Amino acid sequence: MTGYRPDADHRRAEPHRDPTPWGAGLAAATMVALLSAVAVYCFGTALAEVHPVLAIVVNLVAVSGATPSVWRWRRTPVTRWVLAGAVAGVGFGWVAALLGALIS
């Protein structure tokens, strides 16, 4: 009997994918993380000198405004490295600003 068998080797061809550029991607993510961490820390501490609640509110508004774009672009091959660095940098910047506020 020659008919369609579901267990037969009828696989669809996988689309061609280039290898993941881990070295360049991690380097880009690291640089973006450092730049965004420094920017968030400096901007947060400057706003905290005016009023601490202002610093919190402005940071939350900025992150909530950027979140939809980051979520949409997370699967784009080149942009995902930059976004990963930016997300990590914002987190590190917040932690550094909080530690700086607690220490001083």
Side-chain angles (χ1 to χ4, degrees):
M1 180 155 108
T2 60
Y4 174 75
R5 294 184 337 208
D7 61 339
D9 194 17
H10 294 288
R11 288 179 250 165
R12 294 189 327 182
E14 291 289 323
H16 174 70
R17 292 186 183 180
D18 290 330
T20 303
W22 286 99
L26 290 175
T30 302
M31 290 302 297
V32 172
L34 289 173
L35 290 172
S36 61
V38 169
V40 167
Y41 173 76
C42 292
F43 190 62
T45 54
L47 284 175
E49 289 179 6
V50 176
H51 199 281
V53 176
L54 178 67
I56 294 169
V57 169
V58 168
N59 271 294
L60 290 176
V61 167
V63 167
S64 63
T67 300
S69 296
V70 170
W71 190 256
R72 230 175 317 149
W73 294 339
R74 74 187 188 281
R75 301 263 187 229
T76 307
V78 174
T79 316
R80 64 181 169 206
W81 294 105
V82 175
L83 295 176
V87 169
V90 168
F92 289 140
W94 281 353
V95 168
L98 286 173
L99 289 176
L102 292 175
I103 291 173
S104 61

